[in-house]
Amino acid sequence: MNWLKNIVGRIYAVYGLLLFAATLLIVLIPIWIISFLPDPRKTRYFLNIGRVWMKFYMPLIGCPVFRKGLQFFEKGRQYVVVCNHNSLIDVPVTTPGVPGVNKTLAKSSMGKIPLFGMMYHIGGIMVDRSSEASRRESIVKMKEALAMGMHMVLFPEGTRNRTGQPLKEFYDGAFNLAIDTQTPIMPSLLFHTRKIQVPGKFLYAWPHRIDYHFLEPIETAGLTRDDTPALKEKVFRIMWDYYTAHT
């Protein structure tokens, strides 16, 4: 019956894309208007719209989101939230799913996509990873976002994990940022998004609930860049152990 599931999965994927496009048209004009505002107001209003949008959209495609660990967010504090990355659906879950105002790091190529680009420019900090100047500028902008009271939501694996392992090796960026700004690291984990968008399958998806868990923050006060490898390994191990214990 795999052939039948493949057909249904492709019909479902088309349904999800069409519904996304239809609902995008509803929120497009308000998002365009707020794009002219300064930060952090611009990002705050964008997230308010996005949270309402995803609150309806995700259940309508059979992928309701359930969050756990929200008590770890202390009012008035900023966090570098690090999360595993398995599929394209991760960003519309994490961006509205993290409480408070937050930005993520996005590839500059995403900012060139019509309509989508506007949203990425509001909710993200764009970076061209092939350009050293762009990477340096993105670091400055991430520090500015934290200074303005926004969280940074980062995927330390860099790209989507298409391996059979729970996590890919982490890059240093998120941990250097947390140490440089003395901002706590908050590990977080998405569950089941790989089941929705199966790696290697084009135009195929399958509905499934999504769980988004936040773990206890790790303080970086007093740490220096010399501590980056140990901090990265500590967070990696915490996330690996938690993920394997809950799947």
Side-chain angles (χ1 to χ4, degrees), residues 24-50:
L24 172 61
L25 293 176
I26 297 172
V27 301
L28 190 59
I29 291 178
I31 289 175
W32 175 75
I33 292 172
I34 67 170
S35 69
F36 296 99
L37 296 174
D39 264 326
R41 276 197 301 159
K42 174 172 61 178
T43 304
R44 181 182 300 113
Y45 294 157
F46 170 70
L47 286 169
N48 288 341
I49 293 172

PDB file of all heavy atoms in Angstrom, residues 24-50:
ATOM      1  N   LEU A  24      -1.717  33.294   3.449  1.00  0.00           N
ATOM      2  CA  LEU A  24      -0.705  34.331   3.297  1.00  0.00           C
ATOM      3  C   LEU A  24      -1.309  35.595   2.702  1.00  0.00           C
ATOM      4  O   LEU A  24      -0.968  36.716   3.114  1.00  0.00           O
ATOM      5  CB  LEU A  24       0.433  33.821   2.406  1.00  0.00           C
ATOM      6  CG  LEU A  24       1.497  34.844   1.984  1.00  0.00           C
ATOM      7  CD1 LEU A  24       2.213  35.409   3.198  1.00  0.00           C
ATOM      8  CD2 LEU A  24       2.495  34.211   1.015  1.00  0.00           C
ATOM      9  N   LEU A  25      -2.211  35.439   1.759  1.00  0.00           N
ATOM     10  CA  LEU A  25      -2.845  36.598   1.135  1.00  0.00           C
ATOM     11  C   LEU A  25      -3.619  37.427   2.155  1.00  0.00           C
ATOM     12  O   LEU A  25      -3.733  38.650   2.013  1.00  0.00           O
ATOM     13  CB  LEU A  25      -3.780  36.143   0.006  1.00  0.00           C
ATOM     14  CG  LEU A  25      -3.106  35.502  -1.219  1.00  0.00           C
ATOM     15  CD1 LEU A  25      -4.152  35.022  -2.203  1.00  0.00           C
ATOM     16  CD2 LEU A  25      -2.150  36.490  -1.881  1.00  0.00           C
ATOM     17  N   ILE A  26      -4.138  36.776   3.189  1.00  0.00           N
ATOM     18  CA  ILE A  26      -4.903  37.482   4.215  1.00  0.00           C
ATOM     19  C   ILE A  26      -3.997  38.368   5.070  1.00  0.00           C
ATOM     20  O   ILE A  26      -4.356  39.494   5.423  1.00  0.00           O
ATOM     21  CB  ILE A  26      -5.658  36.478   5.106  1.00  0.00           C
ATOM     22  CG1 ILE A  26      -6.677  35.689   4.277  1.00  0.00           C
ATOM     23  CG2 ILE A  26      -6.352  37.182   6.274  1.00  0.00           C
ATOM     24  CD1 ILE A  26      -7.329  34.542   5.024  1.00  0.00           C
ATOM     25  N   VAL A  27      -2.816  37.869   5.389  1.00  0.00           N
ATOM     26  CA  VAL A  27      -1.925  38.594   6.311  1.00  0.00           C
ATOM     27  C   VAL A  27      -0.901  39.456   5.585  1.00  0.00           C
ATOM     28  O   VAL A  27      -0.164  40.216   6.227  1.00  0.00           O
ATOM     29  CB  VAL A  27      -1.187  37.606   7.242  1.00  0.00           C
ATOM     30  CG1 VAL A  27      -2.186  36.793   8.054  1.00  0.00           C
ATOM     31  CG2 VAL A  27      -0.267  36.669   6.455  1.00  0.00           C
ATOM     32  N   LEU A  28      -0.840  39.362   4.263  1.00  0.00           N
ATOM     33  CA  LEU A  28       0.228  40.013   3.507  1.00  0.00           C
ATOM     34  C   LEU A  28       0.225  41.531   3.656  1.00  0.00           C
ATOM     35  O   LEU A  28       1.271  42.145   3.902  1.00  0.00           O
ATOM     36  CB  LEU A  28       0.120  39.628   2.035  1.00  0.00           C
ATOM     37  CG  LEU A  28       1.306  40.028   1.157  1.00  0.00           C
ATOM     38  CD1 LEU A  28       2.588  39.392   1.671  1.00  0.00           C
ATOM     39  CD2 LEU A  28       1.050  39.616  -0.291  1.00  0.00           C
ATOM     40  N   ILE A  29      -0.931  42.152   3.522  1.00  0.00           N
ATOM     41  CA  ILE A  29      -0.985  43.618   3.589  1.00  0.00           C
ATOM     42  C   ILE A  29      -0.614  44.135   4.981  1.00  0.00           C
ATOM     43  O   ILE A  29       0.204  45.066   5.098  1.00  0.00           O
ATOM     44  CB  ILE A  29      -2.372  44.129   3.146  1.00  0.00           C
ATOM     45  CG1 ILE A  29      -2.556  43.882   1.635  1.00  0.00           C
ATOM     46  CG2 ILE A  29      -2.521  45.627   3.456  1.00  0.00           C
ATOM     47  CD1 ILE A  29      -3.895  44.299   1.088  1.00  0.00           C
ATOM     48  N   PRO A  30      -1.168  43.550   6.075  1.00  0.00           N
ATOM     49  CA  PRO A  30      -0.716  44.007   7.404  1.00  0.00           C
ATOM     50  C   PRO A  30       0.785  43.839   7.615  1.00  0.00           C
ATOM     51  O   PRO A  30       1.431  44.717   8.198  1.00  0.00           O
ATOM     52  CB  PRO A  30      -1.515  43.120   8.369  1.00  0.00           C
ATOM     53  CG  PRO A  30      -2.714  42.710   7.607  1.00  0.00           C
ATOM     54  CD  PRO A  30      -2.271  42.589   6.187  1.00  0.00           C
ATOM     55  N   ILE A  31       1.350  42.737   7.128  1.00  0.00           N
ATOM     56  CA  ILE A  31       2.788  42.528   7.282  1.00  0.00           C
ATOM     57  C   ILE A  31       3.564  43.562   6.479  1.00  0.00           C
ATOM     58  O   ILE A  31       4.582  44.096   6.941  1.00  0.00           O
ATOM     59  CB  ILE A  31       3.167  41.094   6.843  1.00  0.00           C
ATOM     60  CG1 ILE A  31       2.638  40.074   7.858  1.00  0.00           C
ATOM     61  CG2 ILE A  31       4.686  40.952   6.711  1.00  0.00           C
ATOM     62  CD1 ILE A  31       2.852  38.631   7.457  1.00  0.00           C
ATOM     63  N   TRP A  32       3.092  43.876   5.280  1.00  0.00           N
ATOM     64  CA  TRP A  32       3.755  44.894   4.459  1.00  0.00           C
ATOM     65  C   TRP A  32       3.732  46.250   5.157  1.00  0.00           C
ATOM     66  O   TRP A  32       4.743  46.973   5.166  1.00  0.00           O
ATOM     67  CB  TRP A  32       3.068  44.981   3.103  1.00  0.00           C
ATOM     68  CG  TRP A  32       3.620  46.078   2.242  1.00  0.00           C
ATOM     69  CD1 TRP A  32       4.807  46.082   1.569  1.00  0.00           C
ATOM     70  CD2 TRP A  32       3.004  47.342   1.971  1.00  0.00           C
ATOM     71  NE1 TRP A  32       4.976  47.274   0.890  1.00  0.00           N
ATOM     72  CE2 TRP A  32       3.886  48.068   1.120  1.00  0.00           C
ATOM     73  CE3 TRP A  32       1.799  47.934   2.362  1.00  0.00           C
ATOM     74  CZ2 TRP A  32       3.583  49.352   0.660  1.00  0.00           C
ATOM     75  CZ3 TRP A  32       1.499  49.210   1.905  1.00  0.00           C
ATOM     76  CH2 TRP A  32       2.386  49.902   1.066  1.00  0.00           C
ATOM     77  N   ILE A  33       2.633  46.588   5.790  1.00  0.00           N
ATOM     78  CA  ILE A  33       2.525  47.884   6.489  1.00  0.00           C
ATOM     79  C   ILE A  33       3.519  47.965   7.643  1.00  0.00           C
ATOM     80  O   ILE A  33       4.233  48.964   7.792  1.00  0.00           O
ATOM     81  CB  ILE A  33       1.077  48.104   6.989  1.00  0.00           C
ATOM     82  CG1 ILE A  33       0.135  48.298   5.800  1.00  0.00           C
ATOM     83  CG2 ILE A  33       1.011  49.313   7.930  1.00  0.00           C
ATOM     84  CD1 ILE A  33      -1.336  48.322   6.171  1.00  0.00           C
ATOM     85  N   ILE A  34       3.590  46.901   8.442  1.00  0.00           N
ATOM     86  CA  ILE A  34       4.479  46.960   9.607  1.00  0.00           C
ATOM     87  C   ILE A  34       5.948  46.851   9.215  1.00  0.00           C
ATOM     88  O   ILE A  34       6.826  47.155  10.017  1.00  0.00           O
ATOM     89  CB  ILE A  34       4.135  45.868  10.639  1.00  0.00           C
ATOM     90  CG1 ILE A  34       4.426  44.476  10.081  1.00  0.00           C
ATOM     91  CG2 ILE A  34       2.708  45.984  11.115  1.00  0.00           C
ATOM     92  CD1 ILE A  34       4.342  43.387  11.107  1.00  0.00           C
ATOM     93  N   SER A  35       6.218  46.457   7.962  1.00  0.00           N
ATOM     94  CA  SER A  35       7.617  46.347   7.531  1.00  0.00           C
ATOM     95  C   SER A  35       8.323  47.698   7.525  1.00  0.00           C
ATOM     96  O   SER A  35       9.560  47.757   7.491  1.00  0.00           O
ATOM     97  CB  SER A  35       7.702  45.701   6.141  1.00  0.00           C
ATOM     98  OG  SER A  35       7.193  46.568   5.142  1.00  0.00           O
ATOM     99  N   PHE A  36       7.557  48.786   7.563  1.00  0.00           N
ATOM    100  CA  PHE A  36       8.144  50.122   7.556  1.00  0.00           C
ATOM    101  C   PHE A  36       8.452  50.639   8.959  1.00  0.00           C
ATOM    102  O   PHE A  36       9.042  51.720   9.105  1.00  0.00           O
ATOM    103  CB  PHE A  36       7.200  51.103   6.844  1.00  0.00           C
ATOM    104  CG  PHE A  36       6.992  50.791   5.384  1.00  0.00           C
ATOM    105  CD1 PHE A  36       5.860  50.117   4.969  1.00  0.00           C
ATOM    106  CD2 PHE A  36       7.939  51.156   4.436  1.00  0.00           C
ATOM    107  CE1 PHE A  36       5.658  49.818   3.632  1.00  0.00           C
ATOM    108  CE2 PHE A  36       7.754  50.858   3.095  1.00  0.00           C
ATOM    109  CZ  PHE A  36       6.613  50.187   2.686  1.00  0.00           C
ATOM    110  N   LEU A  37       8.060  49.895   9.979  1.00  0.00           N
ATOM    111  CA  LEU A  37       8.302  50.321  11.356  1.00  0.00           C
ATOM    112  C   LEU A  37       9.729  49.977  11.782  1.00  0.00           C
ATOM    113  O   LEU A  37      10.363  49.091  11.211  1.00  0.00           O
ATOM    114  CB  LEU A  37       7.311  49.637  12.303  1.00  0.00           C
ATOM    115  CG  LEU A  37       5.826  49.967  12.113  1.00  0.00           C
ATOM    116  CD1 LEU A  37       4.975  49.090  13.039  1.00  0.00           C
ATOM    117  CD2 LEU A  37       5.557  51.439  12.382  1.00  0.00           C
ATOM    118  N   PRO A  38      10.236  50.650  12.800  1.00  0.00           N
ATOM    119  CA  PRO A  38      11.569  50.306  13.325  1.00  0.00           C
ATOM    120  C   PRO A  38      11.475  49.101  14.255  1.00  0.00           C
ATOM    121  O   PRO A  38      10.398  48.765  14.753  1.00  0.00           O
ATOM    122  CB  PRO A  38      11.973  51.562  14.101  1.00  0.00           C
ATOM    123  CG  PRO A  38      10.669  52.143  14.565  1.00  0.00           C
ATOM    124  CD  PRO A  38       9.674  51.844  13.467  1.00  0.00           C
ATOM    125  N   ASP A  39      12.610  48.464  14.476  1.00  0.00           N
ATOM    126  CA  ASP A  39      12.679  47.396  15.467  1.00  0.00           C
ATOM    127  C   ASP A  39      12.836  47.996  16.865  1.00  0.00           C
ATOM    128  O   ASP A  39      13.360  49.096  17.011  1.00  0.00           O
ATOM    129  CB  ASP A  39      13.878  46.471  15.171  1.00  0.00           C
ATOM    130  CG  ASP A  39      13.489  45.237  14.372  1.00  0.00           C
ATOM    131  OD1 ASP A  39      12.361  44.740  14.573  1.00  0.00           O
ATOM    132  OD2 ASP A  39      14.297  44.776  13.552  1.00  0.00           O
ATOM    133  N   PRO A  40      12.349  47.316  17.915  1.00  0.00           N
ATOM    134  CA  PRO A  40      11.755  45.970  17.909  1.00  0.00           C
ATOM    135  C   PRO A  40      10.255  45.936  17.629  1.00  0.00           C
ATOM    136  O   PRO A  40       9.670  44.869  17.600  1.00  0.00           O
ATOM    137  CB  PRO A  40      12.048  45.476  19.325  1.00  0.00           C
ATOM    138  CG  PRO A  40      12.015  46.715  20.158  1.00  0.00           C
ATOM    139  CD  PRO A  40      12.597  47.806  19.289  1.00  0.00           C
ATOM    140  N   ARG A  41       9.619  47.122  17.429  1.00  0.00           N
ATOM    141  CA  ARG A  41       8.177  47.124  17.196  1.00  0.00           C
ATOM    142  C   ARG A  41       7.809  46.329  15.957  1.00  0.00           C
ATOM    143  O   ARG A  41       6.816  45.584  15.949  1.00  0.00           O
ATOM    144  CB  ARG A  41       7.667  48.564  17.056  1.00  0.00           C
ATOM    145  CG  ARG A  41       7.384  49.257  18.364  1.00  0.00           C
ATOM    146  CD  ARG A  41       6.505  50.479  18.160  1.00  0.00           C
ATOM    147  NE  ARG A  41       7.131  51.429  17.251  1.00  0.00           N
ATOM    148  CZ  ARG A  41       6.459  52.366  16.572  1.00  0.00           C
ATOM    149  NH1 ARG A  41       5.138  52.437  16.674  1.00  0.00           N
ATOM    150  NH2 ARG A  41       7.096  53.205  15.788  1.00  0.00           N
ATOM    151  N   LYS A  42       8.595  46.504  14.908  1.00  0.00           N
ATOM    152  CA  LYS A  42       8.316  45.803  13.646  1.00  0.00           C
ATOM    153  C   LYS A  42       8.259  44.296  13.866  1.00  0.00           C
ATOM    154  O   LYS A  42       7.317  43.627  13.417  1.00  0.00           O
ATOM    155  CB  LYS A  42       9.401  46.152  12.631  1.00  0.00           C
ATOM    156  CG  LYS A  42       9.333  45.394  11.335  1.00  0.00           C
ATOM    157  CD  LYS A  42      10.331  45.943  10.319  1.00  0.00           C
ATOM    158  CE  LYS A  42      11.758  45.823  10.799  1.00  0.00           C
ATOM    159  NZ  LYS A  42      12.726  46.319   9.766  1.00  0.00           N
ATOM    160  N   THR A  43       9.258  43.755  14.535  1.00  0.00           N
ATOM    161  CA  THR A  43       9.307  42.313  14.758  1.00  0.00           C
ATOM    162  C   THR A  43       8.200  41.867  15.709  1.00  0.00           C
ATOM    163  O   THR A  43       7.606  40.801  15.522  1.00  0.00           O
ATOM    164  CB  THR A  43      10.676  41.906  15.323  1.00  0.00           C
ATOM    165  OG1 THR A  43      11.696  42.359  14.435  1.00  0.00           O
ATOM    166  CG2 THR A  43      10.785  40.395  15.462  1.00  0.00           C
ATOM    167  N   ARG A  44       7.911  42.674  16.724  1.00  0.00           N
ATOM    168  CA  ARG A  44       6.852  42.316  17.681  1.00  0.00           C
ATOM    169  C   ARG A  44       5.509  42.195  16.978  1.00  0.00           C
ATOM    170  O   ARG A  44       4.772  41.213  17.162  1.00  0.00           O
ATOM    171  CB  ARG A  44       6.775  43.358  18.797  1.00  0.00           C
ATOM    172  CG  ARG A  44       5.690  43.030  19.839  1.00  0.00           C
ATOM    173  CD  ARG A  44       5.579  44.096  20.919  1.00  0.00           C
ATOM    174  NE  ARG A  44       6.840  44.242  21.639  1.00  0.00           N
ATOM    175  CZ  ARG A  44       7.614  45.322  21.597  1.00  0.00           C
ATOM    176  NH1 ARG A  44       7.249  46.366  20.848  1.00  0.00           N
ATOM    177  NH2 ARG A  44       8.721  45.383  22.282  1.00  0.00           N
ATOM    178  N   TYR A  45       5.159  43.180  16.150  1.00  0.00           N
ATOM    179  CA  TYR A  45       3.863  43.149  15.462  1.00  0.00           C
ATOM    180  C   TYR A  45       3.817  42.003  14.445  1.00  0.00           C
ATOM    181  O   TYR A  45       2.787  41.355  14.269  1.00  0.00           O
ATOM    182  CB  TYR A  45       3.601  44.481  14.758  1.00  0.00           C
ATOM    183  CG  TYR A  45       3.435  45.656  15.704  1.00  0.00           C
ATOM    184  CD1 TYR A  45       3.669  46.965  15.277  1.00  0.00           C
ATOM    185  CD2 TYR A  45       3.046  45.468  17.021  1.00  0.00           C
ATOM    186  CE1 TYR A  45       3.520  48.041  16.127  1.00  0.00           C
ATOM    187  CE2 TYR A  45       2.897  46.535  17.885  1.00  0.00           C
ATOM    188  CZ  TYR A  45       3.141  47.817  17.439  1.00  0.00           C
ATOM    189  OH  TYR A  45       2.996  48.878  18.291  1.00  0.00           O
ATOM    190  N   PHE A  46       4.949  41.789  13.771  1.00  0.00           N
ATOM    191  CA  PHE A  46       5.027  40.684  12.814  1.00  0.00           C
ATOM    192  C   PHE A  46       4.765  39.347  13.511  1.00  0.00           C
ATOM    193  O   PHE A  46       4.029  38.492  13.003  1.00  0.00           O
ATOM    194  CB  PHE A  46       6.398  40.686  12.151  1.00  0.00           C
ATOM    195  CG  PHE A  46       6.688  39.459  11.334  1.00  0.00           C
ATOM    196  CD1 PHE A  46       6.029  39.225  10.134  1.00  0.00           C
ATOM    197  CD2 PHE A  46       7.627  38.524  11.756  1.00  0.00           C
ATOM    198  CE1 PHE A  46       6.299  38.093   9.372  1.00  0.00           C
ATOM    199  CE2 PHE A  46       7.909  37.401  11.004  1.00  0.00           C
ATOM    200  CZ  PHE A  46       7.246  37.177   9.812  1.00  0.00           C
ATOM    201  N   LEU A  47       5.374  39.156  14.682  1.00  0.00           N
ATOM    202  CA  LEU A  47       5.178  37.908  15.423  1.00  0.00           C
ATOM    203  C   LEU A  47       3.753  37.768  15.926  1.00  0.00           C
ATOM    204  O   LEU A  47       3.210  36.658  15.960  1.00  0.00           O
ATOM    205  CB  LEU A  47       6.162  37.841  16.592  1.00  0.00           C
ATOM    206  CG  LEU A  47       7.618  37.550  16.205  1.00  0.00           C
ATOM    207  CD1 LEU A  47       8.538  37.763  17.397  1.00  0.00           C
ATOM    208  CD2 LEU A  47       7.766  36.141  15.676  1.00  0.00           C
ATOM    209  N   ASN A  48       3.136  38.878  16.324  1.00  0.00           N
ATOM    210  CA  ASN A  48       1.734  38.805  16.759  1.00  0.00           C
ATOM    211  C   ASN A  48       0.843  38.306  15.630  1.00  0.00           C
ATOM    212  O   ASN A  48      -0.040  37.462  15.841  1.00  0.00           O
ATOM    213  CB  ASN A  48       1.260  40.185  17.237  1.00  0.00           C
ATOM    214  CG  ASN A  48       1.867  40.585  18.564  1.00  0.00           C
ATOM    215  OD1 ASN A  48       2.351  39.728  19.316  1.00  0.00           O
ATOM    216  ND2 ASN A  48       1.866  41.871  18.870  1.00  0.00           N
ATOM    217  N   ILE A  49       1.085  38.821  14.431  1.00  0.00           N
ATOM    218  CA  ILE A  49       0.320  38.347  13.268  1.00  0.00           C
ATOM    219  C   ILE A  49       0.647  36.887  12.981  1.00  0.00           C
ATOM    220  O   ILE A  49      -0.236  36.063  12.749  1.00  0.00           O
ATOM    221  CB  ILE A  49       0.629  39.221  12.035  1.00  0.00           C
ATOM    222  CG1 ILE A  49       0.105  40.635  12.233  1.00  0.00           C
ATOM    223  CG2 ILE A  49       0.016  38.599  10.776  1.00  0.00           C
ATOM    224  CD1 ILE A  49       0.533  41.610  11.158  1.00  0.00           C
ATOM    225  N   GLY A  50       1.944  36.566  13.012  1.00  0.00           N
ATOM    226  CA  GLY A  50       2.365  35.204  12.715  1.00  0.00           C
ATOM    227  C   GLY A  50       1.804  34.183  13.686  1.00  0.00           C
ATOM    228  O   GLY A  50       1.465  33.059  13.292  1.00  0.00           O
TER     229      GLY A  50
END
